[in-house]
Amino acid sequence: MGPCSSFRQMREVPAPPEPRSVCVVNQYLLSVYEADGKVEGAPMTPEDMQSFMQRVSALEDEMEATGTFVFGGALHGPDAATVVHRGTGLDKVVTDGPFAEAKEHIGGFYIINAESLDEALKWADKVVEATSHSIEVRPFRATGRVHA
């Protein structure tokens, strides 16, 4: 018997679709760093806080309108952190506090779409202007779920 048994009929199989161009967009993590204690330029009064929130809101509106914004958020302070260390059963250790003791910590972040590092750095500069905080820019090596 050939490749088609009596239960199957020979039929024409459509050709695979032509390759299409796909727009690959790079994603970057913009980490917003905060220092322990008093931060220069931090909002001190309710009016300062309102102005700060308006700047951040305008920045996020611009990110959203340009398709740059993917996700972002503000984090609780490092005292709210919990670290889970590798181990099994009774060897597993969970500790309160940050992974590393430091005077600066990540206070928030944005994940953005940008065509290049230069574009991501321009957005980082806008975040600096809106928040008065230092920003670390890091490209993602991979995004999405891992498939084995």
Side-chain angles (χ1 to χ4, degrees), residues 1-146:
M1 253 191 228
C4 293
S5 70
S6 61
F7 297 106
R8 297 185 185 139
Q9 294 183 8
M10 191 77 108
R11 64 182 173 91
E12 218 173 290
V13 177
E18 290 293 318
R20 57 186 174 143
S21 60
V22 177
C23 178
V24 176
V25 176
N26 300 312
Q27 291 187 328
Y28 293 84
L29 172 67
L30 307 184
S31 300
V32 180
Y33 277 84
E34 295 180 348
D36 288 340
K38 186 179 177 185
V39 177
E40 188 177 327
M44 301 297 284
T45 66
E47 293 79 18
D48 290 343
M49 180 55 87
Q50 183 176 4
S51 175
F52 171 84
M53 295 304 290
Q54 287 172 341
R55 290 191 312 271
V56 171
S57 181
L59 168 70
E60 292 176 356
D61 287 347
E62 182 181 0
M63 285 180 166
E64 189 77 41
T66 59
T68 301
F69 183 86
V70 175
F71 182 76
L75 302 172
H76 286 280
D79 57 326
T82 303
V83 179
V84 178
H85 300 274
R86 184 178 177 164
T88 57
L90 297 176
D91 293 337
K92 188 163 299 255
V93 177
V94 177
T95 58
D96 291 336
F99 180 76
E101 295 294 329
K103 292 185 180 197
E104 292 184 322
H105 58 273
I106 298 175
F109 64 93
Y110 290 102
I111 297 172
I112 65 166
N113 293 320
E115 290 185 18
S116 65
L117 176 60
D118 288 340
E119 184 181 342
L121 292 173
K122 289 176 184 174
W123 282 105
D125 187 51
K126 291 180 180 194
V127 177
V128 169
E129 292 301 315
T131 65
S132 300
H133 292 288
S134 297
I135 306 300
E136 177 184 64
V137 178
R138 293 180 67 183
F140 277 85
R141 181 175 24 187
T143 58
R145 295 206 37 188
V146 174

